[in-house]
Amino acid sequence: MQRRQLVLYGAAGAGFLGLTLFVGWWRVDGPGAPEPKGQRPLPLSAMEFRLTDHEENEVGPGNLIGRPTMVFFGFTYCPDVCPTTLSDISGWLEELGDEASEMNVVFITVDPERDTVEAMAEYVGYFHPVIRGWTGPEDQIARAAEGFRASFERVPTEGGGYTMNHTASVFLFDAEGELVTMIDYHEPREFAVPKIRRALTEDVEGAT
């Protein structure tokens, strides 16, 4: 009897701990998290930068206005965060079905030294066809990051090489270029996809 009570108490404690961790994630990193003060991205219409997409077209924030937009910063030599996030994004787009074609989805490099137009074209080819790769001069990448309130830094590695630290969240904007929300790294699909649908819905409501 005593042993059975211990098992029941242990199960109840584990359930409570799981619930506590979930609530903590929701408030700190999940959909219920407050936006950091002073870190809200500018509207796309207020940003100024010029880059080149993976098909050698000149692009900038103006190309993103008119459709809901997802933007993610990273680099092609990224060992885990970038391929994981782009795979997640590809899964979200697959779930959206035909609605995916109604969105701009852009991957902006923070490593233009290595991420040429050709490198970006090859890299984004491994993911959903809607995803575009943008690269360009370092000063324009920096201006883009400043507008999105994203951060990145070059970190030396052994042997004289380097890697990049960077913001891992996905920025989600409505068709008018206003921030809807952000999707956190490794955010569960059941939270991420409704956020995207919210941006698509706001697009429809704004057009009526």
Side-chain angles (χ1 to χ4, degrees):
M1 184 70 180
Q2 214 171 18
R3 185 174 179 181
R4 184 179 178 185
Q5 285 180 328
L6 287 173
V7 171
L8 290 173
Y9 290 149
F16 179 78
L17 177 61
L19 178 60
T20 301
L21 290 173
F22 176 81
V23 171
W25 171 82
W26 180 274
R27 292 177 176 173
V28 177
D29 294 315
E35 291 178 345
K37 293 183 178 179
Q39 296 300 308
R40 184 180 178 85
L42 297 176
L44 294 173
S45 59
M47 298 186 195
E48 294 184 12
F49 59 86
R50 300 306 303 172
L51 297 173
T52 303
D53 73 9
H54 70 272
E55 294 182 335
E56 300 187 347
N57 300 304
E58 188 174 313
V59 290
N63 294 86
L64 304 178
I65 298 174
R67 289 183 173 191
T69 294
M70 277 192 286
V71 174
F72 173 66
F73 286 83
F75 62 115
T76 65
Y77 281 72
C78 182
D80 44 36
V81 173
C82 303
T84 297
T85 299
L86 289 170
S87 294
D88 286 344
I89 291 173
S90 296
W92 305 337
L93 294 171
E94 288 289 346
E95 186 160 332
L96 289 175
D98 292 340
E99 289 181 297
S101 62
E102 300 174 17
M103 300 196 69
N104 299 310
V105 186
V106 177
F107 171 56
I108 301 178
T109 183
V110 295
D111 184 18
E113 181 177 325
R114 295 182 292 195
D115 290 343
T116 62
V117 170
E118 294 77 14
M120 293 294 277
E122 179 180 359
Y123 192 71
V124 298
Y126 293 115
F127 304 101
H128 195 283
V130 168
I131 300 173
R132 314 290 295 175
W134 289 13
T135 186
E138 288 187 18
D139 66 315
Q140 294 299 308
I141 297 290
R143 291 184 70 172
E146 181 180 3
F148 284 96
R149 300 298 188 257
S151 62
F152 66 93
E153 63 176 340
R154 182 166 169 159
V155 181
T157 59
E158 293 181 6
Y162 69 92
T163 187
M164 303 294 295
N165 286 343
H166 59 90
T167 298
S169 297
V170 176
F171 299 90
L172 183 60
F173 290 78
D174 64 20
E176 295 182 354
E178 297 290 335
L179 180 72
V180 174
T181 188
M182 294 168 68
I183 302 175
D184 296 314
Y185 177 56
H186 266 329
E187 185 161 327
R189 178 182 295 209
E190 56 265 32
F191 295 130
V193 172
K195 287 182 175 182
I196 300 169
R197 292 195 186 281
R198 175 180 155 199
L200 288 163
T201 301
E202 289 185 7
D203 175 33
V204 172
E205 290 176 349
T208 57

